[in-house]
Amino acid sequence: MFFISARILQQPKLAFYARLLVSYLCLLLAAAFGVVVSILLRIVGYGQVSQWAAARCFKWLMWFGTGVMFVVVEGEEYLKTRPAVFVGNHQTELDVLMLGSVFPPYCAVTAKKSLKRVPVLGWFMALSKTVFIDRSNRQTAVAAFDGAATEMRRDRQSVYIFPEGTRSYSSTPDLLPFKKGAFHLAIQAQVPVVPLVSANYAHILDVKKRRFESGLIPVKVLKPIETRDLTAEDVDELTKRTREVMLEELKALSGSTVEGREWNGNGNGWSKGVVKEIGGREEGGSRVRVTAREL
C-alpha cells in the first residue's frame, strides 16, 4: 500500500477507487514486463515460463501497491504436477492476482478471444501462448482445445482454466455450475486435474459494495485427480466429482487457520487483533510473521 496515502485509506469509497486504479496500473506494468520477458525468453528457448515470470511480477506489484496477496496454505507440492489441467474457483477480477501468486512454471491460461485485441495485455498473452477461446464459435473453441491437448502431450505444458466460465461475485463460499471444457481437455490429453480453491474474499473485494481492502487470502491446492484410461463418457462424472471436492474445501476454508492467524471466510476475514506482517509491514495488535516460504 505504499502507493496510496493513509488519508485516502481511511475513507472506504475513496480507498476502493484508489486500489482499483493502482491494480489496473500494476496489471499494465506487469503486462508490459511480460511482453519484454516473453520475447527474451523465447529467444533463449524458455518461452514456456513467460506467464510465470509476468505472474510473479504482478504478485509483488500488487502487494506493494494494494496490500493484497494470496497465500498457499496447503498442497503447494501439487503445483509441481506437470503436465496438468489446473482449475480454480472464479470470484472477481482479483483472481488475476491469485494466478500471480500461485501460477506454476510451464503453464498457460485460457482466455476469451476478445482479450487478444487489448493493447499491451493482449500482446503479452499472445506472445506467451495463451489458449484463446472464441465462446461464440464452438468449432473454433474445440479446435483451440485440440491444439492445447497436443501441446500438453508434446511439450509437457500445463493449462489453467476457471471452469465456472465467469466470475461469481459471491459473498458466501459457493460455486457456479461448471462448464465441461477443462475436463474434456484433461481426458483428451490424459493428464490429471489439479483443483485450486481460494477462500471467499468478499471482505477484501466487494464490487457491489465498493469495498476494496488489504489482506491475505488463503489458497488450498488439492490432490490431483487422475484421468488415465478415462474417456469422453466420463466427462460428466469427472466434472461433478471435481466440483463437489472444491465446494467442500471452499466451505472448509471458512474456518481455517494459517500459522496462528485465525481465518473466518464468512466475510469477517482475519480475526480482530491478528497481525499480517511481510517484510516489516504489520497491521493490528500482536505480531505474526508470514515466512518467505509461504509467499
Side-chain angles (χ1 to χ4, degrees), residues 71-226:
V71 179
V72 176
V73 297
E74 187 176 334
E76 189 171 5
E77 66 274 16
Y78 299 136
L79 292 174
K80 298 177 181 178
T81 306
R82 178 186 172 205
V85 173
F86 294 90
V87 296
N89 54 319
H90 200 8
Q91 299 180 60
T92 74
E93 291 81 357
L94 196 59
D95 289 330
V96 177
L97 177 58
M98 185 276 296
L99 293 177
S101 299
V102 307
F103 204 70
Y106 302 100
C107 187
V109 296
T110 60
K112 55 185 179 181
K113 191 176 181 179
S114 59
L115 287 176
K116 195 173 184 178
R117 298 190 294 270
V118 177
V120 186
L121 179 62
W123 306 339
F124 158 63
M125 297 179 82
L127 283 168
S128 59
K129 296 186 176 181
T130 295
V131 180
F132 290 104
I133 305 297
D134 185 355
R135 296 174 181 172
S136 63
N137 189 321
R138 186 180 184 280
Q139 186 175 357
T140 58
V142 170
F145 276 121
D146 286 344
T150 300
E151 188 171 342
M152 291 176 76
R153 291 190 295 263
R154 184 187 66 226
D155 301 330
R156 298 185 65 218
Q157 177 81 11
S158 297
V159 173
Y160 195 103
I161 299 175
F162 293 111
E164 291 168 280
T166 189
R167 295 172 286 274
S168 67
Y169 294 108
S170 177
S171 59
T172 59
D174 203 0
L175 297 171
L176 296 175
F178 278 9
K179 298 183 183 299
K180 300 174 184 177
F183 308 98
H184 274 291
L185 176 60
I187 289 177
Q188 185 177 354
Q190 291 289 283
V191 300
V193 174
V194 182
L196 286 83
V197 179
S198 304
N200 184 272
Y201 55 76
H203 61 287
I204 297 285
L205 176 61
D206 191 320
V207 177
K208 296 177 182 178
K209 295 181 179 180
R210 299 294 186 269
R211 177 171 59 209
F212 194 173
E213 301 180 2
S214 64
L216 304 179
I217 302 167
V219 179
K220 186 173 181 180
V221 186
L222 309 186
K223 185 177 180 180
I225 301 173
E226 291 295 337

Side-chain angles (χ1 to χ4, degrees), residues 74 84 89 98 136 147 204 215 236 241 246 251-252 277 293:
E74 187 176 334
N89 54 319
M98 185 276 296
S136 63
I204 297 285
D236 287 347
R241 176 186 172 192
M246 290 178 64
K251 293 178 178 178
E277 183 201 62
R293 177 189 61 78

Side-chain angles (χ1 to χ4, degrees), residues 4 13 86 105 148 256 265 283:
I4 308 174
K13 288 294 193 299
F86 294 90
S256 64
E283 303 172 19

